[in-house]
Amino acid sequence: SALTGVAAAIPGGLIVLLTDGRGALVLASLAFAVAAALSVQIPATRVAEERTDTLERQELRGSGILLAATAMGLLRGIVGFLTFLLAFELRSDDGEAWKFGMVVVAATVGGVLGAVLAPALRRSAMTEEKILQAVLGLTAISGVVSVFAGTMVGAPLLAGTVGLAASCGKLAFDAIVQRDAPDANRGRSFARFETRFQMIWVVGAFIPVILSIPAWIGFLAVAGCAGFAVLSYIAGQRAVARGDPIPDRTAEMRALIRKLRNGDEAKPPGSVREVDAG
């Protein structure tokens, strides 16, 4: 799919130059229509006949998956943030089409490299956790370098790096879920995680929409977020190695909601602990 995106960018760019963008919109509409017609022919299949059981919930809330999901969520938020940051930054400049194209090509090439790099790193005995940490660290370094390189060089550099990190990191995360939750329904599990990641992408993208952020500050923000993600990931793994539990914030929130619905907030602390123990 990544290679198809690169291949389609070439005629798409030519059509934009020749038709002032209208031809590209027509071509994209036709492509989506053909894809929709083909998708209708896919047979409907229920991949999860039974509801989520206790074993599946416990596996998906394991420390390894929770830590990886948090890191991957922050990485997906960086993708959304950088996408709109660069879109508004280049638009506020002179808006030349080739600048947008350069950033898009860099991000696409990065995605292709990430899809190729992840399996190669795994074959070299590098664990999935190390792969995810490595691409987050690379993103942090690239963000700092982009600040000093300037927008013209830094924008495509950081876009390519983030594209590589997102592609490579997603493959690593999927492998972690398959390894640590063998009894979970993969289709249902991946759909849930991907929905969360997409929501975080929207949150990240919303920030440069409501705030006017200079490019260099945005690059620093990307570096800081990626650096925090990799450091917290490493710290979390060390805590697990020491035997410290990783809190499941989702489960805690659900428990709190149940207590509020049952009126347990009005009971003394002792009775609440007794209810929980029961």
Side-chain angles (χ1 to χ4, degrees), residues 77-91 100 201-211 213:
I78 289 174
V79 175
F81 175 81
L82 186 64
T83 299
F84 278 81
L85 173 73
L86 295 180
F88 283 106
E89 176 66 23
L90 295 176
R91 181 182 178 182
F100 290 96
W201 186 99
V202 173
V203 173
F206 193 63
I207 296 175
V209 171
I210 62 176
L211 298 176
I213 304 175

Side-chain angles (χ1 to χ4, degrees), residues 90-150:
L90 295 176
R91 181 182 178 182
S92 63
D93 194 3
D94 52 17
E96 295 182 7
W98 67 270
K99 294 182 180 180
F100 290 96
M102 185 169 58
V103 172
V104 172
V105 169
T108 305
V109 172
V112 175
L113 293 178
V116 175
L117 183 61
L121 292 176
R122 189 62 189 90
R123 287 192 296 268
S124 66
M126 190 174 185
T127 64
E128 289 82 0
E129 289 83 359
K130 294 296 184 182
I131 294 174
L132 189 51
Q133 292 168 10
V135 295
L136 284 169
L138 181 62
T139 301
I141 295 173
S142 179
V144 175
V145 173
S146 297
V147 174
F148 297 97

